[in-house]
Amino acid sequence: MSPALASAAPVASRRVADASPYERLSAAERYLHLTRDRAFLALLGRRGFARLAGLRILELGCGEGSLLRSLLYYGADAVRLEGVDIDAGKVSRAQGSLAGLRLAVGSIAALPYRDGAFDLALAFTVFTSVLNGRARERGAAEALRVLRPGGLLVVYDFWINPLNQDVRPLRAGELRALFAPRPVEVERVTLAPPIVRALGGRPGLCAPLERLPWLRTHLLAAVPKEG
Ligand SMILES: C[S@@+](CC[C@H](N)C(=O)[O-])C[C@H]1O[C@@H](n2cnc3c(N)ncnc32)[C@H](O)[C@@H]1O
């Protein structure tokens, strides 16, 4: 990774300074993933989950396993890392490259796990794929149900996306309402991907723009389950 990206934002973990989970990606996609990861790991550190080793972690809507691979890279244990997705084809492809992980086909609205099974639940760009408001509410309730008391749900999703008609953005107000009355910590992250791509992911150009909150398209939220 270039020194410019390394200094673009606070580094939560030394491992995030190494771009290897994303070395096959374009510079723009790498920039987007690394800046997301940096904000995510910083949030985990603030919330007392800095060490992924030993944690039981579930990814909701894991798709083909991109985030799961990153979590392994950042120190999660394969035996305690699980994923679930509604799309059986994606789960099958994810399983092909993540042989040791337990992956399941299922909906976030009816999770196939017992109450309190996980320390950490992650919902990265999955709520925006669920268009129906009631289904979002069920997914939010399910995410909290499978967390142990004192566990943490992290949501990363976009609040604006005018280019994709197949998804529905998740606004901060709706996000807070989904989990009310719990306190939800929400921050804006991720420089608008079309801008990052237009700039070729060059850190020296992207990082100054990323400091402007109104150019950030995603929300990163922490939802603690009461202990
Ligand atoms: C944009 S992808 C995100 C994949 C992954 N979380 C990531 O960040 O790379 C959205 C995923 O949510 C899954 N999905 C959509 N609705 C779902 C539901 N009701 N339950 C579980 N997964 C769902 C889709 O199949 C897809 O894999």
Side-chain angles (χ1 to χ4, degrees):
M1 184 172 59
S2 78
L5 180 51
S7 62
V11 175
S13 153
R14 274 194 309 134
R15 300 192 71 176
V16 84
D18 183 336
S20 60
Y22 309 121
E23 62 193 9
R24 293 207 191 131
L25 301 182
S26 68
E29 299 310 313
R30 202 160 54 235
Y31 182 90
L32 289 165
H33 280 77
L34 286 170
T35 51
R36 177 202 68 181
D37 290 0
R38 192 171 293 138
F40 165 52
L41 294 173
L43 178 152
L44 289 183
R46 290 196 300 277
R47 292 284 175 162
F49 292 86
R51 255 178 70 82
L52 297 185
L55 297 179
R56 298 162 300 165
I57 305 173
L58 173 67
E59 190 196 358
L60 312 170
C62 64
E64 298 190 8
S66 162
L67 180 64
L68 293 171
R69 276 186 286 279
S70 301
L71 295 168
L72 289 172
Y73 178 77
Y74 294 132
D77 299 327
V79 291
R80 295 184 183 82
L81 183 57
E82 302 195 33
V84 61
D85 197 285
I86 202 164
D87 184 326
K90 288 184 179 177
V91 171
S92 166
R93 287 190 290 282
Q95 195 75 80
S97 63
L98 293 164
L101 268 62
R102 269 179 294 183
L103 305 182
V105 178
S107 170
I108 65 166
L111 289 171
Y113 306 100
R114 65 176 171 78
D115 296 1
F118 297 95
D119 303 299
L120 204 55
L122 309 174
F124 279 37
T125 58
V126 61
F127 277 109
T128 46
S129 297
V130 177
L131 304 183
N132 179 278
R134 291 301 305 275
R136 284 185 178 187
E137 286 170 14
R138 284 201 300 276
E142 280 291 90
L144 290 176
R145 180 185 65 75
V146 301
L147 277 176
R148 66 153 164 90
L152 187 72
L153 168 67
V154 179
V155 177
Y156 171 79
D157 225 319
F158 51 83
W159 63 270
I160 183 169
N161 188 341
L163 303 178
N164 187 346
Q165 301 304 313
D166 297 330
V167 293
R168 183 164 70 80
L170 181 66
R171 301 273 180 163
E174 184 186 357
L175 181 53
R176 290 185 200 284
L178 281 175
F179 298 102
R182 291 169 192 83
V184 181
E185 173 194 333
V186 185
E187 61 184 308
R188 273 198 194 175
V189 296
T190 302
L191 178 61
I195 297 177
V196 174
R197 292 180 190 123
L199 298 176
R202 285 192 287 282
L205 300 176
C206 295
L209 293 179
E210 193 164 351
R211 294 196 188 101
L212 306 172
W214 59 90
L215 291 182
R216 300 183 204 146
T217 50
H218 287 60
L219 305 175
L220 180 68
V223 187
K225 177 161 173 175
E226 48 285 343

PDB file of all heavy atoms in Angstrom, residues 37-49:
ATOM      1  N   ASP A  37     -12.261  -0.995   5.935  1.00  0.00           N
ATOM      2  CA  ASP A  37     -11.723  -1.858   6.990  1.00  0.00           C
ATOM      3  C   ASP A  37     -11.110  -1.023   8.114  1.00  0.00           C
ATOM      4  O   ASP A  37     -11.230  -1.363   9.303  1.00  0.00           O
ATOM      5  CB  ASP A  37     -10.654  -2.797   6.430  1.00  0.00           C
ATOM      6  CG  ASP A  37     -11.241  -3.866   5.530  1.00  0.00           C
ATOM      7  OD1 ASP A  37     -12.478  -3.878   5.335  1.00  0.00           O
ATOM      8  OD2 ASP A  37     -10.470  -4.675   5.000  1.00  0.00           O
ATOM      9  N   ARG A  38     -10.452   0.037   7.728  1.00  0.00           N
ATOM     10  CA  ARG A  38      -9.794   0.868   8.746  1.00  0.00           C
ATOM     11  C   ARG A  38     -10.848   1.458   9.695  1.00  0.00           C
ATOM     12  O   ARG A  38     -10.685   1.426  10.911  1.00  0.00           O
ATOM     13  CB  ARG A  38      -9.008   1.979   8.047  1.00  0.00           C
ATOM     14  CG  ARG A  38      -8.070   2.717   8.962  1.00  0.00           C
ATOM     15  CD  ARG A  38      -7.186   3.643   8.162  1.00  0.00           C
ATOM     16  NE  ARG A  38      -6.275   2.896   7.316  1.00  0.00           N
ATOM     17  CZ  ARG A  38      -5.986   3.203   6.060  1.00  0.00           C
ATOM     18  NH1 ARG A  38      -6.555   4.231   5.483  1.00  0.00           N
ATOM     19  NH2 ARG A  38      -5.134   2.471   5.381  1.00  0.00           N
ATOM     20  N   ALA A  39     -11.928   1.967   9.132  1.00  0.00           N
ATOM     21  CA  ALA A  39     -12.989   2.535   9.974  1.00  0.00           C
ATOM     22  C   ALA A  39     -13.643   1.444  10.825  1.00  0.00           C
ATOM     23  O   ALA A  39     -13.929   1.640  12.016  1.00  0.00           O
ATOM     24  CB  ALA A  39     -14.030   3.224   9.092  1.00  0.00           C
ATOM     25  N   PHE A  40     -13.866   0.292  10.236  1.00  0.00           N
ATOM     26  CA  PHE A  40     -14.512  -0.844  10.926  1.00  0.00           C
ATOM     27  C   PHE A  40     -13.632  -1.331  12.088  1.00  0.00           C
ATOM     28  O   PHE A  40     -14.113  -1.508  13.215  1.00  0.00           O
ATOM     29  CB  PHE A  40     -14.745  -1.939   9.881  1.00  0.00           C
ATOM     30  CG  PHE A  40     -15.074  -3.294  10.414  1.00  0.00           C
ATOM     31  CD1 PHE A  40     -16.095  -3.485  11.331  1.00  0.00           C
ATOM     32  CD2 PHE A  40     -14.366  -4.415   9.972  1.00  0.00           C
ATOM     33  CE1 PHE A  40     -16.400  -4.757  11.809  1.00  0.00           C
ATOM     34  CE2 PHE A  40     -14.666  -5.679  10.440  1.00  0.00           C
ATOM     35  CZ  PHE A  40     -15.677  -5.853  11.365  1.00  0.00           C
ATOM     36  N   LEU A  41     -12.348  -1.513  11.834  1.00  0.00           N
ATOM     37  CA  LEU A  41     -11.460  -2.004  12.893  1.00  0.00           C
ATOM     38  C   LEU A  41     -11.297  -0.971  14.003  1.00  0.00           C
ATOM     39  O   LEU A  41     -11.178  -1.325  15.181  1.00  0.00           O
ATOM     40  CB  LEU A  41     -10.101  -2.403  12.300  1.00  0.00           C
ATOM     41  CG  LEU A  41     -10.149  -3.612  11.356  1.00  0.00           C
ATOM     42  CD1 LEU A  41      -8.799  -3.823  10.688  1.00  0.00           C
ATOM     43  CD2 LEU A  41     -10.580  -4.878  12.080  1.00  0.00           C
ATOM     44  N   ALA A  42     -11.315   0.291  13.612  1.00  0.00           N
ATOM     45  CA  ALA A  42     -11.233   1.348  14.639  1.00  0.00           C
ATOM     46  C   ALA A  42     -12.471   1.301  15.531  1.00  0.00           C
ATOM     47  O   ALA A  42     -12.386   1.422  16.763  1.00  0.00           O
ATOM     48  CB  ALA A  42     -11.095   2.711  13.979  1.00  0.00           C
ATOM     49  N   LEU A  43     -13.636   1.108  14.912  1.00  0.00           N
ATOM     50  CA  LEU A  43     -14.885   1.006  15.692  1.00  0.00           C
ATOM     51  C   LEU A  43     -14.816  -0.191  16.651  1.00  0.00           C
ATOM     52  O   LEU A  43     -15.163  -0.082  17.835  1.00  0.00           O
ATOM     53  CB  LEU A  43     -16.066   0.864  14.738  1.00  0.00           C
ATOM     54  CG  LEU A  43     -17.460   0.703  15.348  1.00  0.00           C
ATOM     55  CD1 LEU A  43     -18.509   1.250  14.399  1.00  0.00           C
ATOM     56  CD2 LEU A  43     -17.784  -0.742  15.665  1.00  0.00           C
ATOM     57  N   LEU A  44     -14.363  -1.328  16.139  1.00  0.00           N
ATOM     58  CA  LEU A  44     -14.256  -2.511  17.014  1.00  0.00           C
ATOM     59  C   LEU A  44     -13.324  -2.230  18.182  1.00  0.00           C
ATOM     60  O   LEU A  44     -13.603  -2.616  19.324  1.00  0.00           O
ATOM     61  CB  LEU A  44     -13.744  -3.716  16.209  1.00  0.00           C
ATOM     62  CG  LEU A  44     -14.693  -4.324  15.192  1.00  0.00           C
ATOM     63  CD1 LEU A  44     -14.049  -5.541  14.544  1.00  0.00           C
ATOM     64  CD2 LEU A  44     -16.013  -4.725  15.836  1.00  0.00           C
ATOM     65  N   GLY A  45     -12.225  -1.538  17.899  1.00  0.00           N
ATOM     66  CA  GLY A  45     -11.283  -1.208  18.967  1.00  0.00           C
ATOM     67  C   GLY A  45     -11.936  -0.341  20.034  1.00  0.00           C
ATOM     68  O   GLY A  45     -11.783  -0.587  21.238  1.00  0.00           O
ATOM     69  N   ARG A  46     -12.705   0.655  19.591  1.00  0.00           N
ATOM     70  CA  ARG A  46     -13.385   1.551  20.550  1.00  0.00           C
ATOM     71  C   ARG A  46     -14.379   0.787  21.404  1.00  0.00           C
ATOM     72  O   ARG A  46     -14.665   1.148  22.544  1.00  0.00           O
ATOM     73  CB  ARG A  46     -14.131   2.667  19.802  1.00  0.00           C
ATOM     74  CG  ARG A  46     -13.272   3.705  19.133  1.00  0.00           C
ATOM     75  CD  ARG A  46     -14.084   4.945  18.777  1.00  0.00           C
ATOM     76  NE  ARG A  46     -15.193   4.720  17.879  1.00  0.00           N
ATOM     77  CZ  ARG A  46     -15.120   4.652  16.554  1.00  0.00           C
ATOM     78  NH1 ARG A  46     -13.948   4.778  15.958  1.00  0.00           N
ATOM     79  NH2 ARG A  46     -16.198   4.467  15.815  1.00  0.00           N
ATOM     80  N   ARG A  47     -14.966  -0.258  20.838  1.00  0.00           N
ATOM     81  CA  ARG A  47     -16.031  -1.002  21.524  1.00  0.00           C
ATOM     82  C   ARG A  47     -15.524  -2.208  22.308  1.00  0.00           C
ATOM     83  O   ARG A  47     -16.307  -3.043  22.776  1.00  0.00           O
ATOM     84  CB  ARG A  47     -17.058  -1.472  20.479  1.00  0.00           C
ATOM     85  CG  ARG A  47     -17.824  -0.336  19.852  1.00  0.00           C
ATOM     86  CD  ARG A  47     -18.850   0.138  20.834  1.00  0.00           C
ATOM     87  NE  ARG A  47     -19.564   1.304  20.379  1.00  0.00           N
ATOM     88  CZ  ARG A  47     -20.725   1.689  20.888  1.00  0.00           C
ATOM     89  NH1 ARG A  47     -21.292   0.988  21.842  1.00  0.00           N
ATOM     90  NH2 ARG A  47     -21.307   2.780  20.475  1.00  0.00           N
ATOM     91  N   GLY A  48     -14.200  -2.365  22.365  1.00  0.00           N
ATOM     92  CA  GLY A  48     -13.633  -3.462  23.151  1.00  0.00           C
ATOM     93  C   GLY A  48     -13.565  -4.789  22.421  1.00  0.00           C
ATOM     94  O   GLY A  48     -13.472  -5.849  23.052  1.00  0.00           O
ATOM     95  N   PHE A  49     -13.617  -4.742  21.082  1.00  0.00           N
ATOM     96  CA  PHE A  49     -13.535  -5.976  20.294  1.00  0.00           C
ATOM     97  C   PHE A  49     -12.317  -5.932  19.368  1.00  0.00           C
ATOM     98  O   PHE A  49     -12.378  -6.385  18.226  1.00  0.00           O
ATOM     99  CB  PHE A  49     -14.807  -6.170  19.457  1.00  0.00           C
ATOM    100  CG  PHE A  49     -16.034  -6.460  20.272  1.00  0.00           C
ATOM    101  CD1 PHE A  49     -16.802  -5.423  20.798  1.00  0.00           C
ATOM    102  CD2 PHE A  49     -16.432  -7.761  20.522  1.00  0.00           C
ATOM    103  CE1 PHE A  49     -17.948  -5.683  21.544  1.00  0.00           C
ATOM    104  CE2 PHE A  49     -17.573  -8.034  21.274  1.00  0.00           C
ATOM    105  CZ  PHE A  49     -18.333  -6.994  21.786  1.00  0.00           C
TER     106      PHE A  49
END
